[in-house]
Amino acid sequence: MSLIINTPFVCPAQHWVEGKGGKLQIKPERRPASYEVFDARNNTKRTEVLELVNTIRARVDAWREAGWPGVTIVTRKLLEHWHDTDARQHPFYFCQLEAIETLIWWTEGAEAFKQGIAIPWDGGAWERLCNKMATGTGKTTVMAMIITWQVLNALTYPKRNKSFSRAVFIVAPGLTVKERLQVLMPREGSYYDEFNLCPSEALRQKLNQADVLIENWHTLMPLKEQERSVVKKGRESDEAFTRRVLGKLAAHRDIIVINDEAHHAYRQPPEVKISRKIAAEQGIDLDEATRWIEGLDRIHKTRRIQRCFDLSATPFAPTGKKSTDTALFDWIISDFGLNDAIEAGLVKTPRVVVRDDALPDARTLRSKLYHIYRDPSVSEDLNRAKAEPHEALPKLVQDAYTLLGADWRETQRKWREAGHHSPPVMLTVCNRTETAARVEHYFNKGDAHWPEMHAPDRTLRVDSKVLEKAEIGEAATSDKGYESRLKSIIEAADLPETRKQRLQGMKKEELLREIVDNVGKRGAAGQDLQNVISVAMLSEGWDAKNVTHIMGLRAFTSQLLCEQVVGRGLRRVSYDKDDNGLFIPEYVNVFGVPLSISETGEGGDAPPPPRPTTQIEVIQDRSHLEIKWPNVLRVETVVRPKLAMAWDHVPPLVLDPASTPISAELAPALGGATDMEKVTSIDLERLPDGFRLQRIVFQAARKGFAEFRHGFSGTEEYLAAQLVCIVEQFLNSKLLNIPSLFHSDPLRRRILIALNIDLVVQHVMRHVSEQNTERLTPVFDEESPIGSTGQMRTWYTTKPCFPAIKSHISHLVGDSSWEGHAANVFEARSDVDAYAKNDHLGFQVQYLWAGSRRRYLPDFLVKLSSGKTLALEIKGTDSPQNKAKRAAMDEWVRAINGTGGFGQWAWDVAFKPSDVQDIITKHTQHAAEESAQ
């Protein structure tokens, strides 16, 4: 049994609701128009009902039953023709008919059916009406219906210029959508013919008199003044702007506007304050939103916009109440949302991870694969600026790719056997360009476990800057390496040579858009792609139907973001029906995109009043207390040609099965609930051939090789051979401990080793490097090589604080009583010149833990009277992870002292308050002894 319970051709008669225990159950009535708001901070969810839409639905139903009173003869002919199921091969969906009927009802319907209803405006001078329609429900067809209705009425009743217009201005969010919308031009091969929109040939010929202009929003940008022009023409007038933008359409007045993907076009009220960074996180371009509307305002001044029709799956805009708060447009008059589309089978059903066999997230008790980026080991690692492409992905991310990749391989096999011309596509949505480059390197260099996913010519990393330029028809900065990768994809594609030559001759911006726009399309540039990696979301209009797997590697703070990302993979491949006339379900498996941000909860109590804050700032008069440090991106180790390990000194490595999922269960998700009766599983134990010991040995050796090759002075072949021997000896030794009788099974043991391969390599290589270190070389941050307490920005805290005297920073923020004790020691001792708590300073040391690159922030920087700078950690208990931090700190100190130029550095850790005095004494005496020598 699937989640598809309605046919899309009639009004939905039932919908799923969340019952007891999170189980889905059917409610025998149409789903009310509403949307869910998730508050990740307070861990609550509430439902906002769209009362206006629900009222309008009832009025439109009654108006339809009464025979559409008030409409013109032309409109009646159109409505009867559109409702005739025999007039075309495929009947219109109910949601399409309801959307156009609602617009007609408001424009032409008898007043008795509109009594007491007022549709809010957006604060501008022209009316907007919005149809909210989920991805895959046929918005473009509705646009064609709007144009047919408006133009045929305008030509038949020319005096009704307040209701109808033959001049249509369609605004798209970019060139991709603009090109897709060319089917709306009234010519041969258009949607008017494909869907038989006109009841007669005479009306179809009449429709050719429509004046339709399709542009992307960038056309609405004001012209830039020519700085070096001899003649200063000043700002472009509204009339000149209108003529330039509308061209031939400028000959008309009372035009209609259709905004596709209208959530990009909203009027920002003056009280709404939202930063560009937060807007970008919500997928909002502030320039786009305001320029789009400002441009239409200028056209309205000179030509009058009779009415504007907005279409969008997610017509949200910031409210200004909270940084992450959004609300739907007030002028929505019809709604057919994602849940409605899933229940009608118009889109794929998304399946999310409900559990796995590893430890869950401690806060939500969900599988960590549900919202991967929320795990600290992932967010800290992936949020680093300037991370190098070759750096290993966090272990949880690699585990996720291994599990999701196993399911992708099975889908690929089934598709190949079924004769599909294109492979299934795995889509990854990243948080930043560095992460996308690392993911691309992970697949293209063979780090992914499954060899089928090592396919550089079938893997596309979408350079967001190049695609952004491509969407507006401009050139991006030169990048020969990226251009070469695009051309290698074309060269490897199974295309005729003439088509390859045409594609190879394109500029990289055009070529990227050609590939992206045609993923999965037969005979096109993107037909053979199987792996697409992007930053943020791909643009609207990207309608690849063969996306079957999605990996989310970014933060998701709203349901809007989740729906936009998952929406990129919702378009169906086929529309076959079962014996009951319902569409056969298709699925997209999703890791890391939480379709419900949090557990269901009540609205919650009002937040408590804010606590008093303390301003933490740099005291400019204390410049003599400034502490400086080098900003180090990483420390590189140069090793001797001979690799050797003192096996007696290598500690055992324990692999905890509870931290590594080898199977996951997915369930269909809808409205924040999952149907636990329809669980499917991905189990790596079913794939023994993918985990042969020899392959694991060579994979580990290859990773070690990548780590050492640049610092190894011997031949690469010699290095590789030694690493294979060392890894094989370690894996067969008792030094690798898996404390689980269940996982002592040879296959389960090999799977655990494969999924923890970075941890194994890290453990082995650490001891190889310790015995073969020749020198440690720090790699400095070129843009900011020196950090300083003086560079700290002012910030505020509600934590307890006390003023600091011997510090460049005004206060010490007390995170623990031990830290307060340490500060008292620093203030009292004469051999301490200055100190600073490492809070908001930016001093950090990179270290590896469990396959992820993490940040270590020592608690204090202490400047001793001897000139030595001490990095001091206050630690109550010890752990293996803390030991890894100290090992990295020791390596950092040795590298900096060996390089010279930054004074002498030292590090230490206090395990109890009394240690602080002894540590200061010890390092002061050491410095004195060294100077005496």
Side-chain angles (χ1 to χ4, degrees), residues 864-893:
L864 302 177
S865 58
S866 60
K868 180 183 288 187
T869 304
L870 173 66
L872 180 63
E873 177 76 9
I874 308 294
K875 189 65 64 179
T877 58
D878 206 1
S879 68
Q881 185 172 359
N882 289 332
K883 292 177 181 177
K885 293 178 182 179
R886 296 201 295 275
M889 187 74 242
D890 181 71
E891 193 175 67
W892 187 95
V893 166

Side-chain angles (χ1 to χ4, degrees), residues 418-493:
H420 282 278
H421 60 270
S422 293
V425 167
M426 180 184 291
L427 170 65
T428 299
V429 180
C430 302
N431 63 324
R432 57 192 305 147
T433 54
E434 291 93 340
T435 302
R438 291 169 68 186
V439 172
E440 179 188 38
H441 185 278
Y442 172 77
F443 285 113
N444 286 355
K445 298 302 181 182
D447 286 346
H449 180 80
W450 303 111
E452 293 88 346
M453 305 208 76
H454 179 207
D457 296 333
R458 290 171 173 255
T459 299
L460 172 67
R461 174 177 59 83
V462 180
D463 187 314
S464 53
K465 293 181 180 178
V466 175
L467 187 63
E468 183 180 335
K469 292 293 184 182
E471 282 294 330
I472 60 177
E474 295 182 358
T477 55
S478 177
D479 188 341
K480 297 296 183 183
Y482 187 69
E483 189 171 357
S484 175
R485 286 196 294 278
L486 294 180
K487 291 188 174 181
S488 68
I489 291 174
I490 298 300
E491 187 59 37

Side-chain angles (χ1 to χ4, degrees), residues 71-72 75 104 107-108 146 149-155 157-167 253-256 306-307:
V71 301
T72 67
T75 300
I104 294 171
T107 306
E108 299 186 53
I146 293 172
W149 160 57
Q150 281 283 311
V151 171
L152 292 181
N153 272 290
L155 293 171
Y157 313 104
K159 291 185 179 181
R160 294 192 59 172
N161 61 334
K162 291 186 178 180
S163 299
F164 309 113
S165 177
R166 60 177 285 194
R253 300 185 71 83
D254 297 305
I255 67 174
I256 64 168
Q306 175 228 92
R307 189 171 284 112

Side-chain angles (χ1 to χ4, degrees), residues 618 622-630 786-792 806-809 826 832-838 841 843 860-864 867-871 892 902 905:
V618 175
R622 300 181 189 170
S623 57
H624 62 288
L625 300 179
E626 183 179 33
I627 299 176
K628 296 182 178 181
W629 60 87
I786 303 296
S788 162
T789 52
Q791 296 172 359
M792 188 197 77
K806 283 188 178 181
S807 180
H808 201 188
I809 311 301
F826 303 149
V832 172
D833 285 348
Y835 72 97
K837 185 176 178 187
N838 188 22
L841 294 185
F843 176 74
F860 288 98
L861 294 179
V862 184
K863 195 173 183 180
L864 302 177
K868 180 183 288 187
T869 304
L870 173 66
W892 187 95
F902 301 99
W905 282 75

Side-chain angles (χ1 to χ4, degrees), residues 22-235:
K23 187 178 179 181
L24 291 176
Q25 57 189 40
I26 291 177
K27 190 171 185 177
E29 62 183 39
R30 184 177 183 183
R31 177 186 297 278
S34 61
Y35 70 103
E36 291 177 325
V37 179
F38 296 90
D39 187 340
R41 180 176 299 175
N42 295 317
N43 201 34
T44 59
K45 177 179 74 175
R46 72 178 190 274
T47 298
E48 293 284 345
V49 178
L50 303 180
E51 299 289 0
L52 177 61
V53 175
N54 289 320
T55 301
I56 290 175
R57 279 181 180 176
R59 298 291 184 91
V60 172
D61 288 344
W63 177 69
R64 184 189 305 114
E65 288 295 321
W68 307 301
V71 301
T72 67
I73 295 174
V74 170
T75 300
R76 184 174 300 279
K77 286 182 178 179
L78 290 174
L79 287 170
E80 290 173 348
H81 179 64
W82 292 342
H83 276 274
D84 184 357
T85 57
D86 297 325
R88 57 197 55 80
Q89 181 180 0
H90 301 292
F92 291 120
Y93 300 140
F94 169 79
C95 61
Q96 295 171 321
L97 292 170
E98 183 181 51
I100 187 65
E101 281 181 321
T102 306
L103 296 175
I104 294 171
W105 161 82
W106 182 249
T107 306
E108 299 186 53
E111 289 300 323
F113 291 90
K114 296 184 284 187
Q115 194 71 31
I117 291 181
I119 298 174
W121 286 30
D122 75 336
W126 35 278
E127 184 181 30
R128 298 178 72 178
L129 302 172
C130 179
N131 296 116
K132 179 174 176 285
M133 300 180 69
T135 298
T137 56
K139 292 192 295 293
T140 307
T141 304
V142 173
M143 288 187 230
M145 296 167 113
I146 293 172
I147 294 169
T148 304
W149 160 57
Q150 281 283 311
V151 171
L152 292 181
N153 272 290
L155 293 171
T156 306
Y157 313 104
K159 291 185 179 181
R160 294 192 59 172
N161 61 334
K162 291 186 178 180
S163 299
F164 309 113
S165 177
R166 60 177 285 194
V168 184
F169 182 33
I170 304 173
V171 188
L175 292 179
T176 297
V177 177
K178 177 185 174 182
E179 291 185 5
R180 189 194 69 192
L181 295 180
Q182 294 305 308
V183 294
L184 298 177
M185 299 300 290
R187 57 194 177 206
E188 188 177 350
S190 66
Y191 268 24
Y192 312 104
D193 297 322
E194 183 175 344
F195 294 102
N196 189 18
L197 289 180
C198 297
S200 67
E201 182 60 26
L203 288 175
R204 174 65 188 88
Q205 292 301 318
K206 200 172 190 178
L207 186 60
N208 287 335
Q209 299 177 47
D211 284 324
V212 179
L213 175 66
I214 306 173
E215 291 290 354
N216 57 337
W217 76 271
H218 305 83
T219 308
L220 298 170
M221 292 284 284
L223 284 180
K224 295 180 180 178
E225 293 186 27
Q226 298 181 2
E227 296 179 0
R228 299 184 180 180
S229 174
V230 177
V231 181
K232 297 292 184 180
K233 296 183 179 181
R235 182 178 181 268

